[in-house]
Amino acid sequence: MDPNSVKSTLSNLAFGNVMAAAARDYQKELIAQDKAQTSSSINQEVDLDELMDDPELEKLHADRIAALKREVEKREALKKQGHGEYREISEGDFLGEVTGSEKVICHFYHREFYRCKIMDKHLKALAQSHLDTKFIKLDAENAPFFVTKLGVKTLPCVILFRKGVAIDRLIGFQDLGGKDDFTTKSLEILLMKKGIISEKEDNEEDDYPESRRKTVRSSVDPDSDSD
């Protein structure tokens, strides 16, 4: 037998054994990694289960649900009292309306006055976004007793009530620049300063964009009020 041939055969066998051993080692490493990943997943699941059973987390969740429930109940109660819309009332309803809510805005108006119609449009827009305050209006011609009692002499006259007491008023547009083209936002800011409506938490830079302000102004036709 050729010695060189024997050496070559032995060398090939040794190389084959090395490769086989390497393959076994690689397979063992893959199995170990798979076991480690499985163990990690199991541990993670256990941690999540423990977290879901955490009494502090459950209390936070319960408190949040309770707070949301109270807020919904509050909103529903306010709507039943007439909040969230701009309503016309009669003189006979006046006392009940202004004493039935903590904060009330009442517009004394005349049906034929152009400026009263402008004020109507702005108050209607604000009533929908300030639920904590009640917005109502009263025809001055049909409410002579309270017109005299409250000293209403110029229309539009917007009187602000807190707990049934008149605390302030807007006479005409004198606090709004004296012009007809004031914006809903400017009226909103003025009423906030007087403390009769609250600033919204999510208040944007301008809740009443130009397109909406134009709609408010254009919806009042000055020609319709001329005699």
Side-chain angles (χ1 to χ4, degrees):
M1 180 178 291
D2 186 1
N4 291 329
S5 177
V6 172
K7 288 181 180 181
S8 176
T9 300
L10 291 175
S11 177
N12 289 337
L13 288 173
F15 180 75
N17 290 336
V18 170
M19 291 300 296
R24 287 193 298 272
D25 290 341
Y26 180 68
Q27 186 176 17
K28 288 179 181 180
E29 185 177 349
L30 289 177
I31 293 172
Q33 288 179 358
D34 184 60
K35 287 182 178 180
Q37 290 177 355
T38 302
S39 176
S40 176
S41 299
I42 293 173
N43 289 335
Q44 186 177 16
E45 290 176 3
V46 170
D47 292 341
L48 288 175
D49 289 339
E50 291 176 355
L51 183 62
M52 292 302 293
D53 293 333
D54 190 308
E56 292 186 5
L57 184 62
E58 288 183 358
K59 184 177 183 302
L60 287 174
H61 180 67
D63 289 346
R64 177 59 177 162
I65 294 298
L68 290 173
K69 184 179 179 180
R70 287 193 299 270
E71 181 63 24
V72 170
E73 290 174 348
K74 177 185 175 182
R75 292 177 67 88
E76 291 302 317
L78 288 172
K79 287 182 178 180
K80 288 180 180 179
Q81 295 174 16
H83 292 238
E85 57 181 334
Y86 182 50
R87 298 178 295 112
E88 181 161 8
I89 64 169
S90 67
E91 186 174 48
D93 297 329
F94 180 77
L95 280 179
E97 292 284 359
V98 299
T99 59
S101 297
E102 181 178 353
K103 296 185 292 183
V104 179
I105 294 175
C106 183
H107 174 205
F108 284 81
Y109 79 103
H110 191 287
R111 294 182 183 277
E112 302 301 324
F113 287 6
Y114 172 61
R115 282 193 162 188
C116 290
K117 294 182 179 182
I118 294 175
M119 183 61 75
D120 273 344
K121 297 298 179 180
H122 293 298
L123 291 177
K124 183 177 180 180
L126 291 176
Q128 298 171 10
S129 56
H130 291 278
L131 195 64
D132 286 346
T133 302
K134 181 187 291 182
F135 288 75
I136 55 178
K137 65 177 182 176
L138 183 60
D139 188 340
E141 280 193 319
N142 296 325
F145 177 80
F146 288 109
V147 165
T148 302
K149 190 72 174 178
L150 294 168
V152 176
K153 297 179 181 179
T154 302
L155 300 179
C157 180
V158 178
I159 302 183
L160 316 180
F161 294 87
R162 185 182 287 274
K163 296 181 179 179
V165 178
I167 59 170
D168 207 340
R169 66 182 61 197
L170 307 182
I171 301 173
F173 295 168
Q174 63 185 25
D175 293 326
L176 295 159
K179 297 181 179 179
D180 296 353
D181 61 349
F182 67 89
T183 64
T184 302
K185 186 66 177 179
S186 63
L187 176 59
E188 181 181 44
I189 292 171
L190 177 61
L191 293 174
M192 284 180 184
K193 289 179 179 178
K194 292 182 177 294
I196 200 64
I197 61 175
S198 302
E199 184 174 0
K200 298 189 292 292
E201 291 183 1
D202 297 330
N203 204 15
E204 300 177 357
E205 183 177 351
D206 189 351
D207 291 330
Y208 307 96
E210 184 61 27
S211 60
R212 184 171 178 181
R213 293 198 295 267
K214 287 180 179 178
T215 301
V216 169
R217 291 198 293 267
S218 62
S219 60
V220 180
D221 182 5
D223 294 334
S224 64
D225 298 310
S226 58
D227 295 333

